[in-house]
Amino acid sequence: MAGYIVYNGFWNPHTPPDPVQRLQAAARQRGWTLRPIPNTALPIVVSPSGAAVPGMCPGDVALFWDKDIRLGQALTAMGVHLYNPIDAVAVCDDKGATHLALAAQGIPMPRTLLAPMTYRDITAPIDAFLRRAMEELSFPMVVKECYGSLGGQVYLAHDPEELRRMAMSMGSKPFLAQEFMRAAAGEDLRLYVVGDRVIAAMRRHSDTDFRSNIAAGGQGEAYIPTPEQEQLALRCCRTLGLAFGGVDLLWDATGAPVVCEVNSNAFMGGITACTGVDVAGAIVEYVRRQEPIVR
Ligand code: ADP
Ligand code: MG
């Protein structure tokens, strides 16, 4: 049985991405081999005798650092052990699905409206959704594509015209409208959970943008979370079935934490740089504890 780190070969055609390199190095330091492998090298063969991904075997372990859900499902079906589980990766990948799953457990979050699904470009039938969003939320209003990362697909609509323009520009992409957490404008907290512990946390802020992502120009500093913030992050991961993950928290006018989003494949370079915590090492050690017999 062997260990792999699966990543997206289209997005990273030349070298594995930074988290994958960190995980590989962390494993090597601990005397364990985790081999990076792109999804582009893993064709899925489906037949009445089941799913097969040539090169992989039942009992292998894969740190799944990709969003190729069908590949994850095929690997799971053939008996490869995935970290994180593919159902958790799929729910975290879709911000609308994440909010639905968290809401079912009463987890606090910004007031959120999910746009109706369309097969093609958005046209007049979106009016009822926009009307409702304006009744429920005030301006400025956050608009997010359900699939996005690094702050790239998160927007702020300041008035009805801008909201309509944004909605019309979504094409067939699922999106949501959300209460703007004014008290946390340009800031958030990132708590990194591994197993049943928050192992590192940072406060991110941006002086120039309402989005605090480091990739969008934000800066991070080490942060010691309150017990309430820790419990909330752990509850999110338990609810979603994550073995590890990065939980983004915002807060309301009273300072009470609300969940912004949960990442199954969170970057670790920024949080390691500002806290000194070896996040990749903690993940590798966690997986190793679950999989003692894999070489
Ligand atoms: P991404 O997957 O791109 O990181 P997020 O949902 O985490 O998407 O949003 C990116 C950033 O935008 C957050 O870290 C936060 O700074 C800001 N943001 C997102 N949602 C809200 C909100 N409802 N109110 C205020 N700021 C928000
Ligand atoms: Mg985020």
Side-chain angles (χ1 to χ4, degrees):
M1 285 171 285
Y4 298 91
I5 316 171
V6 177
Y7 66 95
N8 194 275
F10 293 104
W11 194 250
N12 310 275
H14 306 300
T15 46
D18 178 74
V20 173
Q21 294 187 31
R22 285 173 187 273
L23 292 165
Q24 184 185 20
R28 196 185 303 120
Q29 280 165 16
R30 289 159 179 81
W32 193 26
T33 304
L34 285 178
R35 190 158 74 83
I37 187 161
N39 67 330
T40 44
L42 296 170
I44 306 166
V45 182
V46 186
S47 72
S49 52
V53 177
M56 292 247 180
C57 301
D60 284 348
V61 168
L63 271 70
F64 200 76
W65 230 263
D66 194 7
K67 307 285 176 73
D68 188 334
I69 304 304
R70 282 183 295 270
L71 174 59
Q73 289 170 335
L75 290 171
T76 304
M78 65 179 278
V80 176
H81 303 179
L82 255 57
Y83 296 86
N84 278 298
I86 198 61
D87 292 349
V89 174
V91 171
C92 290
D93 192 27
D94 175 346
K95 290 179 167 66
T98 305
H99 283 298
L100 284 171
L102 297 180
Q105 296 303 315
I107 289 178
M109 64 188 74
R111 198 165 180 74
T112 299
L113 284 89
L114 308 184
M117 190 273 262
T118 168
Y119 290 109
R120 43 176 301 157
D121 284 357
I122 286 170
T123 50
I126 195 73
D127 284 358
F129 172 75
L130 297 183
R131 254 197 322 275
R132 188 76 201 190
M134 288 187 283
E135 282 164 23
E136 300 273 343
L137 312 171
S138 53
F139 288 106
M141 187 188 298
V142 173
V143 175
K144 289 186 200 182
E145 296 179 27
C146 288
Y147 298 98
S149 55
L150 309 176
Q153 291 76 25
V154 178
Y155 317 98
L156 201 55
H158 295 85
D159 54 48
E161 290 69 39
E162 201 175 11
L163 176 64
R164 167 168 288 279
R165 262 201 316 279
M166 281 177 187
M168 301 300 264
S169 72
M170 291 293 170
S172 57
K173 290 178 282 196
F175 71 99
L176 55 83
Q178 191 170 72
E179 172 187 6
F180 177 51
M181 304 307 292
R182 200 179 287 274
E187 289 182 86
D188 77 348
L189 302 174
R190 160 62 60 83
L191 275 63
Y192 218 117
V193 173
V194 179
D196 56 5
R197 282 198 324 123
V198 174
I199 60 154
M202 66 178 166
R203 188 182 186 108
R204 296 182 291 198
H205 79 275
S206 170
D207 296 330
T208 54
D209 200 295
F210 79 100
R211 297 161 303 178
S212 54
N213 303 70
I214 292 178
Q219 288 169 351
E221 58 184 345
Y223 176 78
I224 299 174
T226 64
E228 185 188 11
Q229 291 161 348
E230 282 205 11
Q231 287 309 315
L232 185 54
L234 293 172
R235 250 181 96 199
C236 287
C237 290
R238 269 200 308 274
T239 296
L240 300 172
L242 290 173
F244 47 81
V247 181
D248 292 352
L249 299 182
L250 303 168
W251 47 93
D252 66 15
T254 72
V258 296
V259 177
C260 176
E261 66 148 351
V262 183
N263 300 277
S264 59
N265 307 9
F267 277 94
M268 41 193 90
I271 196 161
T272 294
C274 70
T275 63
V277 175
D278 178 8
V279 174
I283 292 173
V284 165
E285 284 173 13
Y286 171 85
V287 176
R288 196 78 184 110
R289 281 197 298 277
Q290 317 301 312
E291 302 286 348
I293 59 167
V294 174
R295 269 182 288 122

